[in-house]
Amino acid sequence: MAESFDFGGRISKQKHPTKIHETRAETDLANNMAQCINVGSKTQTPPCYETRELTKEALHNVGDLHLNGNVEHCCRGCFCYFEKSHTSVLGMRELAAAKGAKIICADDNEICANTYKKKPSKMQPHPMSCNSLFIYPLQCNFSGRKYPMDWIELVKKKEVDFTQSCGGQWYVAVDAAAYVSTTLLDLDRYKPDFVTVSFYKMFGFPTGIGALVVRNSSANVLKKTYFGGGTVLVSTARERFHVDRQGISDRFEDGTVAFLDIVALRHGFDTLHRLTGGIDNICKHTFSLGRFVHHQLTSYHHGNGAKVAVCYCDTDFEDMSTQGAIVNFNLLRANGSFVGYAEVDKMAQLHNIHLRTGCFCNTGACQWHLGLSTDTVLDNYKAGHHCGDNRDLINGVPTGSVRISFGYMSTFSDATNFLNFIKGCFVEGKLQIVQPSCNKAGSCQVKQNKTADNVGVIHGSKISDTGIYVASSKVLHCHRTTSVKSNIDFDGNKSPAVPLCPQGHRDDNYRQQTIYSSHHRVISDIFIYPIKSCGAFQVDSWQLGSRGLAYDRHWVIVTGSGVCLSQKRETKLCLIQPTVNLDLGLLKLEYPGADSIEIPLSVDESQVSDGHICQTKVSGDRIQGTDCGDSVAAWLSSVLQRPGCRLIQQNQDDTRVCKLDSKDRTAPGDTQISLANQSQLLLIARSSVLGLIQHIADRHSTVETSMDLKVDVDSYVGRFRANLVVDRGEAFAEDDWTEVQVGTQNFICQGQCSRCQMICVDQSTGERSKEPLSTLATFRGRKIPFGIHLCHDPSGSHGNTISVGDSVLPTLMTDPVDQNQNT
């Protein structure tokens, strides 16, 4: 849309808009769309609009300037966009600016309050005058605010101040992608020139398919330069001659459209109507869920009376005509500091809750609600924050937020599960319910203290024929329980303690004889993980190489599509037990109930055919590797029950380097790393594991029930997948280290390791639980750190071996740095 809109406004040779050619498929699509978009007729092709299939190029196709000819006879129009628009609209801005259009950014106050005071002129625009375009979203994808439809006519009649900046004709485009998923769009009453919609947001399939709805009387301002297959009536190769097809869809749909996905749309609309009874029911259902969650969340307070959440809402969430089913918020601790959105997302994954976090491709709304100035955004970028990362807090200030959205398939149990998740994981002390008093602008003040119990109010009851919640009143009691049974693990599952690793690789009595006889810190365990995300191989002594411990994370399993497989996606990986046999030069793989398999530790890359050299991505880095063959691939596919798995070995000449730095001292330049996520080695302290276990016991104990603590400490040590485990010393003292000497080897500390749900996988069984991440998040603060990253410094080392029993001598710092974890 942005590429083809004619800001020049030259005289058209046609006195009337071209008659639109419509196919039977287009007619069927339009009739089905009429269920969600009222275009004036549901039994025949709409007389005023035509739809065309598109993916992401809808907004791209309006706005292209055609400035050929005499400059004296051509003017430049304006491109005005609403401040709280999707990033796609900001992309339109760049296309319009490149062609000379004047750029205007407007907010809702400028549109609503500053309407043009003078009486609009009744004179027709001069035929040589410019065309201008205003675009805004019907529903904000950040806050859920539904913006007035009256803006369309205000702008087209030039009754808003910014329209006086440019003469000529003003056109209006509306982004209805978020709006039409839950709300009826009445194009018979409101008459925008262009409408973009997303079918994926309506019923979740197919991805990447939407529509650009074009008003027939406005189609002539879309001037197309490029043409592809099927869009011209005739063209010649040697001369610049071609004739465009007349129908707008025929002109703009270059090449073969996604016809199989388009065919599926009719079934999507039919299913949507059959399951819900219509878009009006969807609107009532989703709004009641969003309203319930919003009101409950804003009423939650910590035991000390401090708010649990701050919601970013432009309304009081009482009118479905002005508010969509989106709840956007950030959580607060009892001391008033923010909880980072990345931390909330990690905890939500443990509870099978899907959230969106960040700025949601709407930087204008994000800046406005979070109070981020342009200078702050630029400073955050210079500090390393960018779209899509997990830098959720900078200097204690959020860089984004958390968003939940309700659709036709959402249920009341989804809403209560989310609220129970907030209460169970982020409320400190006894929950207090304080009902706020909200004004129309969405600003809330404390009204009264209703109760200290967990009582929620839902405005919704069930419709018998559709199973959808609509407006009525009902009280729901949600009682929180924290008691746990004795003699069970912290998630309520009966499971015996299982050793972390198979025995035989070291003397079982070594630690008891050597370590506990000393008062100094020493290495108690050394682990390598030959295959990324697979089981640990425990040793007494091991050599260091240029990438860390030799053969540590030297292989990776990829899916049939070439994607790196980790325990986040497949927990059974931890049951694959690798054993490195240096004498025979073999890597042995074992799995419960399956025959073992062996492969060479080293591959002569010069003898490998091109078909066995491959690439994959690890933590965003593209790595060069060698396929280890069909035999081990078949073995992996069989034990994991995932067809198409391949084992890739990192090439010796792969150039992947570490990106982490120490706060006080930069690690050696271009430090090579293996297939670990971030660093060469990861270190944890056994005393820190014991401290965590005590926190878990304290958190799950109650006055009525005492817990008989029976925990295999080694099993918990194994969950953190560290290379080096230190014994003795105070819990979490390693957070403040800058350097550490292990035996004769020197290491630079590169910050704390931020943890995710992988530590909740029992490495001996592959079973996932909520602990220890759930408790770790309650007392370790932002990023949920545990353990530290290390980089080997060979310049200050002697030899290249570390062993169990080696002394550990750290150098301290005062301000630790958070980083990401290895897997």
Side-chain angles (χ1 to χ4, degrees), residues 66-314:
H66 289 260
L67 306 177
N68 298 329
N70 193 333
V71 177
E72 295 180 355
H73 298 290
C74 188
C75 67
R76 303 294 188 271
C78 291
F79 174 73
C80 181
Y81 63 96
F82 186 58
E83 180 183 20
K84 300 171 186 175
S85 294
H86 194 272
T87 302
S88 303
V89 174
L90 303 188
M92 294 177 66
R93 173 191 66 189
E94 301 307 309
L95 285 169
K99 297 301 179 74
K102 181 179 179 180
I103 306 301
I104 302 172
C105 178
D107 61 26
D108 43 358
N109 291 328
E110 293 172 325
I111 300 174
C112 296
N114 299 325
T115 55
Y116 190 51
K117 303 301 187 299
K118 296 182 180 179
K119 185 177 180 180
S121 174
K122 296 182 179 180
M123 296 179 59
Q124 294 296 323
H126 190 278
M128 296 301 297
S129 62
C130 309
N131 295 324
S132 297
L133 179 67
F134 171 61
I135 182 168
Y136 76 101
L138 294 183
Q139 177 176 306
C140 178
N141 73 313
F142 187 95
S143 66
R145 165 77 185 280
K146 294 179 181 178
Y147 296 108
M149 294 283 202
D150 295 339
W151 288 2
I152 298 171
E153 287 303 310
L154 284 175
V155 172
K156 296 179 77 170
K157 293 180 179 179
K158 297 197 288 187
E159 296 179 2
V160 182
D161 280 355
F162 66 73
T163 60
Q164 304 305 308
S165 300
C166 294
Q169 184 73 38
W170 274 88
Y171 295 84
V172 177
V174 294
D175 176 5
Y179 185 88
V180 297
S181 62
T182 60
T183 311
L184 176 68
L185 174 57
D186 190 350
L187 293 181
D188 190 37
R189 178 180 178 185
Y190 302 101
K191 297 176 171 57
D193 300 286
F194 312 102
V195 183
T196 61
V197 297
S198 169
F199 299 120
Y200 172 71
K201 288 183 173 61
M202 288 183 181
F203 34 77
F205 177 87
T207 58
I209 297 294
L212 173 62
V213 185
V214 179
R215 190 169 186 82
N216 285 354
S217 60
S218 305
N220 62 318
V221 297
L222 298 182
K223 309 295 185 182
K224 189 183 179 195
T225 302
Y226 170 82
F227 62 90
T231 61
V232 293
L233 293 174
V234 64
S235 65
T236 62
R238 289 186 175 274
E239 286 76 27
R240 289 185 57 194
F241 174 80
H242 74 277
V243 178
D244 291 326
R245 291 186 179 274
Q246 293 302 302
I248 185 172
S249 59
D250 293 332
R251 292 201 312 270
F252 278 85
E253 291 178 350
D254 297 294
T256 303
V257 298
F259 57 88
L260 293 179
D261 288 338
I262 295 174
V263 169
L265 295 179
R266 180 172 184 175
H267 300 286
F269 282 111
D270 291 343
T271 301
L272 197 68
H273 187 79
R274 185 178 69 253
L275 293 178
T276 66
I279 194 69
D280 289 336
N281 283 339
I282 294 176
C283 186
K284 295 174 184 178
H285 168 64
T286 56
F287 177 77
S288 67
L289 293 177
R291 180 178 180 272
F292 167 60
V293 170
H294 172 269
H295 289 359
Q296 288 292 288
L297 196 58
T298 54
S299 72
Y300 288 175
H301 288 66
H302 296 285
N304 65 354
K307 290 182 178 180
V308 171
V310 53
C311 289
Y312 305 114
C313 184
D314 295 320

Side-chain angles (χ1 to χ4, degrees), residues 46-66:
C48 298
Y49 287 90
E50 179 174 350
T51 60
R52 61 166 291 244
E53 176 272 340
L54 76 157
T55 52
K56 295 180 179 179
E57 76 274 10
L59 298 176
H60 187 266
N61 284 331
V62 173
D64 185 29
L65 298 173
H66 289 260

Side-chain angles (χ1 to χ4, degrees), residues 369-639:
H369 283 283
L370 299 182
L372 301 176
S373 66
T374 299
D375 289 340
T376 301
V377 173
L378 296 178
D379 289 341
N380 289 346
Y381 175 71
K382 293 176 182 178
H385 171 59
H386 57 81
C387 293
D389 68 9
N390 61 356
R391 294 286 296 274
D392 48 15
L393 297 174
I394 296 181
N395 298 324
V397 178
T399 61
S401 58
V402 182
R403 187 190 75 184
I404 57 173
S405 305
F406 294 102
Y408 74 91
M409 72 296 292
S410 302
T411 64
F412 179 63
S413 62
D414 293 333
T416 55
N417 287 340
F418 166 75
L419 292 171
N420 289 334
F421 155 69
I422 296 296
K423 290 184 288 187
C425 295
F426 297 102
V427 175
E428 300 176 37
K430 187 176 183 180
L431 175 68
Q432 296 187 34
I433 303 294
V434 181
Q435 296 293 351
S437 176
C438 299
N439 57 35
K440 289 295 183 181
S443 175
C444 301
Q445 295 85 31
V446 172
K447 184 176 181 181
Q448 59 180 334
N449 193 334
K450 302 290 289 186
T451 177
D453 297 324
N454 293 346
V455 179
V457 180
I458 181 174
H459 294 266
S461 60
K462 213 172 190 181
I463 299 178
S464 59
D465 57 338
T466 64
I468 301 174
Y469 291 96
V470 294
S472 67
S473 181
K474 178 181 178 181
V475 176
L476 178 79
H477 296 272
C478 310
H479 297 288
R480 179 184 177 195
T481 59
T482 56
S483 61
V484 293
K485 298 179 180 180
S486 59
N487 299 317
I488 58 177
D489 67 19
F490 297 124
D491 294 302
N493 304 312
K494 294 182 179 180
S495 59
V498 181
L500 172 67
C501 299
Q503 305 302 323
H505 302 302
R506 54 171 292 179
D507 184 355
D508 297 335
N509 298 320
Y510 188 95
R511 182 174 61 214
Q512 209 167 31
Q513 295 171 353
T514 305
I515 295 174
Y516 292 144
S517 64
S518 172
H519 295 289
H520 301 289
R521 291 186 180 93
V522 292
I523 296 296
S524 64
D525 305 272
I526 300 174
F527 300 104
I528 66 169
Y529 305 86
I531 303 178
K532 182 177 176 65
S533 266
C534 289
F537 175 61
Q538 190 172 12
V539 296
D540 288 334
S541 182
W542 205 252
Q543 289 187 344
L544 287 158
S546 61
R547 293 170 173 163
L549 291 171
Y551 298 109
D552 180 54
R553 297 172 173 93
H554 193 51
W555 291 265
V556 63
I557 299 173
V558 299
T559 65
S561 57
V563 177
C564 173
L565 195 60
S566 73
Q567 289 186 32
K568 293 180 182 179
R569 185 176 299 181
E570 180 55 81
T571 61
K572 290 186 292 186
L573 287 173
C574 67
L575 303 180
I576 297 177
Q577 180 59 57
T579 303
V580 177
N581 191 321
L582 296 176
D583 294 334
L584 298 178
L586 295 174
L587 174 69
K588 182 179 180 180
L589 304 181
E590 297 175 286
Y591 188 89
D595 295 334
S596 62
I597 190 172
E598 295 177 340
I599 62 172
L601 287 177
S602 300
V603 177
D604 186 354
E605 296 174 11
S606 63
Q607 302 298 319
V608 176
S609 63
D610 292 341
H612 287 78
I613 300 295
C614 53
Q615 292 183 343
T616 188
K617 275 192 173 183
V618 173
S619 297
D621 297 330
R622 189 170 297 279
I623 62 104
Q624 298 287 337
T626 301
D627 192 301
C628 295
D630 294 337
S631 297
V632 68
W635 187 88
L636 291 171
S637 299
S638 175
V639 298

